[in-house]
Amino acid sequence: MNTPMLILIAGPYASGTGGDPALMARNLARLEEAAWPIFAAGHVPMIGEWVALPVLRSAGATGPADPLAEQVMYPTAARLLAHCDAVLRLPGESKGADQDVAIARERGIPVYFSLDEIPVGAPVPPAT
């Protein structure tokens, strides 16, 4: 058994949406689909938008299309990668996800392209 990892899930969020909030929500839901399998494999899933979007809201931004987003979205993922043990890169065109992979490789952090590639960590304890 391996030590539990904090795994950044990287993939399309705003890419290809034209700023449409419904399409971005759909992309976020796709990213979140990987959260349970990562957790069930004994790790902790992380998605940059889980952190960046509340930061934007608390700064008074109107959403991911707000000019402030450029100062928050990519930098949040870069900061998270200082704490992550791995990246799961999901399919789809995404400048941000490609940047996450580049940062991870620069730092020697493993990058997985499939849930099947992620080693098993701590098992999920049975519900009591």
Side-chain angles (χ1 to χ4, degrees):
M1 176 173 49
N2 294 309
T3 303
M5 294 186 287
L6 180 63
I7 301 177
L8 182 70
I9 303 168
Y13 171 65
S15 298
T17 66
D20 181 328
L23 294 177
M24 287 189 279
R26 189 177 73 197
N27 281 347
L28 183 56
R30 278 194 199 119
L31 294 171
E32 290 175 342
E33 287 174 7
W36 171 250
I38 289 171
F39 186 81
H43 305 292
V44 178
M46 174 55 65
I47 297 174
E49 287 76 13
W50 288 346
V51 177
L53 294 174
V55 170
L56 278 176
R57 280 193 297 275
S58 70
T62 56
D66 191 285
L68 186 58
E70 195 171 306
Q71 298 173 45
V72 174
M73 299 301 283
Y74 293 147
T76 296
R79 290 179 189 182
L80 281 171
L81 281 165
H83 304 280
C84 289
D85 303 299
V87 172
L88 172 63
R89 174 57 163 101
L90 298 179
E93 187 176 323
S94 171
K95 177 183 166 190
D98 290 343
Q99 185 175 311
D100 295 343
V101 168
I103 291 169
R105 288 188 169 147
E106 216 172 80
R107 295 180 180 171
I109 298 169
V111 177
Y112 304 110
F113 292 91
S114 162
L115 288 165
D116 296 335
E117 296 175 1
I118 298 172
V120 175
V124 176
T128 57

